[in-house]
Amino acid sequence: MFIFFDWTFWVFMVPAFLIGLWAQSKVTSAYNKYSKIKVAGRITGYDAARAILNANGLYHVQIERIGGTMTDHFDPRSNVLRLSAAVYDTASVAAVGIAAHECGHAIQYAQAYAPMKVRGALVSVTNFSSMFSMIFVVLGLIFSSPVLAYFGVGLFAIVALFQLITLPVEFNASRRAIDALEGSGAFKEEELDGVDQVLTAAALTYVAALVSAVLQLLRLLVIARNSDR
């Protein structure tokens, strides 16, 4: 019942939830639309990914099929590009765009793209901060300790920083994807436009994640300030 009387929840967390819901609906809509539109060359996500990787000298990067939907990712630890079955085997605009985007991450890693290196270095500390930031804030309230509360806020600030650094990494990967597909000469202009719409919609989820993190950080700061009174 406490949540109904916590004005910070309504002011900060509800808008964050709604923004995230809106962003997810945009990416789902774009994916559903362009997963039904086939590319003229019948190039699958795997074909597009292999061609882009090879064109950038990344012959050693393996491509694996994995389960799930929108589970596609590049794993820098094993230097493996993993594509969901719907992307790996499908010759759709959405599949090609997603595969190309993940290739963008592989290229970033190979070229030691600075924001990607910084984000990678922050993964462990971000996971810790995400798990324990609220615990320290609550402990600060329980023990009337501003030090504990502000320490929790500081931890969550790392989470917000991680989301901020994620933006250039994702936008750059999408830019690399569009450039690679356009440079191949294998796709029509309308197909490239569709890829751009899919990747733009996907990018909104990262913007929404940043906005959500900032709003939650502000909420925790307000709560910490209340513990200081």
Side-chain angles (χ1 to χ4, degrees), residues 6-134:
D6 180 12
W7 67 268
T8 65
F9 174 83
W10 298 99
V11 170
F12 296 112
M13 300 313 298
V14 171
F17 172 77
L18 294 176
I19 291 171
L21 202 62
W22 170 78
Q24 190 57 50
S25 70
K26 296 290 287 184
V27 71
T28 300
S29 176
Y31 178 81
N32 289 340
K33 176 181 178 180
Y34 287 102
S35 63
K36 296 181 177 67
I37 300 177
K38 305 300 181 182
V39 293
R42 300 301 176 184
I43 299 171
T44 65
Y46 170 83
D47 296 331
R50 188 72 269 166
I52 294 172
L53 293 174
N54 290 351
N56 286 273
L58 302 180
Y59 304 99
H60 61 287
V61 176
Q62 300 300 306
I63 305 174
E64 297 179 354
R65 183 195 288 107
I66 58 173
T69 302
M70 293 193 226
T71 52
D72 315 88
H73 66 279
F74 170 69
D75 183 357
R77 294 168 299 179
S78 56
N79 235 358
V80 172
L81 189 69
R82 298 190 173 97
L83 302 177
S84 60
V87 171
Y88 189 103
D89 299 308
T90 306
S92 70
V93 170
V96 167
I98 292 169
H101 174 86
E102 298 308 329
C103 286
H105 288 310
I107 297 169
Q108 288 174 336
Y109 180 71
Q111 297 180 353
Y113 180 60
M116 188 180 197
K117 292 180 66 177
V118 173
R119 187 178 72 166
L122 285 175
V123 169
S124 296
V125 67
T126 299
N127 290 337
F128 174 86
S129 299
S130 180
M131 290 175 59
F132 292 101
S133 57
M134 193 63 190

Side-chain angles (χ1 to χ4, degrees), residues 13 126 129-134 137 150-163 209 212-218 220:
M13 300 313 298
T126 299
S129 299
S130 180
M131 290 175 59
F132 292 101
S133 57
M134 193 63 190
V137 172
Y150 281 116
F151 182 71
V153 173
L155 286 179
F156 197 82
I158 297 173
V159 177
L161 175 63
F162 181 84
Q163 295 296 345
S212 177
V214 170
L215 288 173
Q216 188 164 347
L217 177 62
L218 291 174
L220 294 180

